C-alpha cells in the first residue's frame, strides 16, 4: 500500500499524460474490488421444528440425529450440501441438543463408517440395523429432513418411524418429521 501511494503521487504530479494513467489505474482498481456479479441469498437456519427441540434440550441436552446427513437430491452440489450441514451446526447453538452429525474439514473414520452403515441400512431396507445404529449413538431424537432425501427413502423411514414410535413430537408433511425415540430402540 505504501509503495502504491508513492507511485500514484509520482504519476499524478507528472503532467497531463500521467494524470490520465492515474485515472486509468484507479478505474481498473475500482473495477477489480467492486463485486458486480455477487450472488446473495437468504436461508432460514432455524425452522419451527427446532423450537420443539429447544424446549426438550435446553435444560437437559439430548442427542439429535438429523437425516440425511448429506443431501440426497437431484441437482445437489457442494455449496448446497455445505449449507445444509452448516444449518445443523448453527441451529444446535440455539437448541442445545447434541448432534450426531456435524461438519468439519476432517471426518473421522468412525463417523464415515456410521454414515455409510446408516445409508446402507435404509438402502437395503434393514430396519433392525437402522434401529441398532440409532441405539449405538444413543439417539434421543431423529429428525428427518424430507426435502433433502429422495421420496422413496422418505416413505421407508416414515413407515419405520410410525411403526416404532409412540410419540411424534412434530410432524410437517412438507419438511420435517421429528420423533422421540428414547427407549424405543432395540
Amino acid at each position: 500500500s505504501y509503495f502504491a501511494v508513492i507511485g500514484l503521487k509520482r504519476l499524478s504530479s507528472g503532467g497531463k499524460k500521467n494524470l490520465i494513467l492515474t485515472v486509468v489505474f484507479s478505474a481498473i482498481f475500482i473495477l477489480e474490488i467492486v463485486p458486480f456479479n455477487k450472488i446473495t441469498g437468504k436461508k432460514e437456519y432455524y425452522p419451527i421444528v427446532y423450537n420443539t427441540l429447544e424446549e426438550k434440550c435446553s435444560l437437559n441436552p439430548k442427542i439429535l440425529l438429523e437425516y440425511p446427513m448429506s443431501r440426497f437430491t437431484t441437482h445437489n452440489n457442494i455449496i448446497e450440501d455445505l449449507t445444509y450441514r452448516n444449518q445443523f451446526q448453527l441451529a444446535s447453538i440455539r437448541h442445545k441438543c447434541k448432534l450426531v452429525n456435524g461438519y468439519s474439514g476432517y471426518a473421522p473414520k468412525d463417523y464415515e463408517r456410521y454414515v455409510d452403515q446408516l445409508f446402507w441400512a435404509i438402502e437395503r431396507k434393514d430396519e433392525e440395523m437402522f434401529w441398532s445404529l440409532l441405539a449405538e449413538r444413543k439417539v434421543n431424537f431423529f429428525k428427518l429432513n424430507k426435502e433433502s432425501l429422495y421420496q422413496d427413502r422418505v416413505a421407508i423411514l416414515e413407515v419405520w418411524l410410525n411403526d416404532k414410535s409412540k410419540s411424534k413430537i412434530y410432524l410437517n408433511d412438507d419438511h420435517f418429521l421429528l420423533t422421540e425415540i428414547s427407549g424405543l430402540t432395540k
Side-chain angles (χ1 to χ4, degrees):
S1 296
Y2 173 75
F3 292 113
V5 170
I6 290 175
L8 284 174
K9 269 186 175 180
R10 281 195 181 168
L11 280 176
S12 63
S13 66
K16 195 174 194 178
K17 185 179 179 182
N18 288 346
L19 183 61
I20 293 171
L21 280 174
T22 303
V23 170
V24 169
F25 286 139
S26 298
I28 291 172
F29 176 73
I30 289 172
L31 288 174
E32 185 70 30
I33 64 166
V34 174
F36 288 108
N37 62 350
K38 181 80 172 167
I39 299 171
T40 61
K42 178 182 175 188
K43 299 279 185 185
E44 178 62 43
Y45 85 96
Y46 207 78
I48 196 165
V49 67
Y50 286 126
N51 291 336
T52 305
L53 279 171
E54 192 173 348
E55 292 171 15
K56 302 281 184 181
C57 290
S58 61
L59 296 175
N60 183 19
K62 296 183 175 155
I63 298 173
L64 167 68
L65 173 68
E66 299 224 21
Y67 195 82
M69 296 168 114
S70 292
R71 286 175 47 95
F72 288 106
T73 56
T74 317
H75 309 299
N76 193 27
N77 63 46
I78 192 165
I79 293 171
E80 288 178 11
D81 192 44
L82 289 173
T83 303
Y84 176 74
R85 291 180 187 200
N86 286 332
Q87 176 192 353
F88 304 156
Q89 296 290 322
L90 190 57
S92 72
I93 294 169
R94 186 166 159 192
H95 64 61
K96 306 283 192 249
C97 289
K98 297 177 183 176
L99 287 176
V100 171
N101 39 338
Y103 178 78
S104 67
Y106 171 74
K109 293 287 183 198
D110 184 54
Y111 178 79
E112 289 177 357
R113 175 201 58 83
Y114 186 76
V115 171
D116 289 343
Q117 286 180 333
L118 199 56
F119 172 80
W120 284 110
I122 295 166
E123 286 296 304
R124 294 181 184 137
K125 299 178 182 168
D126 187 347
E127 185 178 1
E128 186 176 323
M129 182 179 181
F130 173 78
W131 290 110
S132 67
L133 286 167
L134 295 184
E136 175 186 317
R137 297 292 168 131
K138 298 179 175 101
V139 174
N140 300 108
F141 299 106
F142 182 83
K143 181 172 164 272
L144 176 61
N145 299 311
K146 295 178 183 183
E147 79 282 357
S148 297
L149 188 61
Y150 293 115
Q151 291 306 308
D152 58 334
R153 276 53 163 222
V154 169
I156 292 168
L157 286 167
E158 284 181 323
V159 168
W160 292 353
L161 295 169
N162 282 323
D163 287 348
K164 191 73 167 177
S165 303
K166 304 297 182 231
S167 65
K168 286 173 210 58
I169 297 170
Y170 183 88
L171 177 61
N172 179 318
D173 291 332
D174 296 329
H175 300 289
F176 304 104
L177 170 68
L178 178 66
T179 307
E180 187 170 6
I181 57 175
S182 178
L184 298 173
T185 55
K186 293 182 180 181

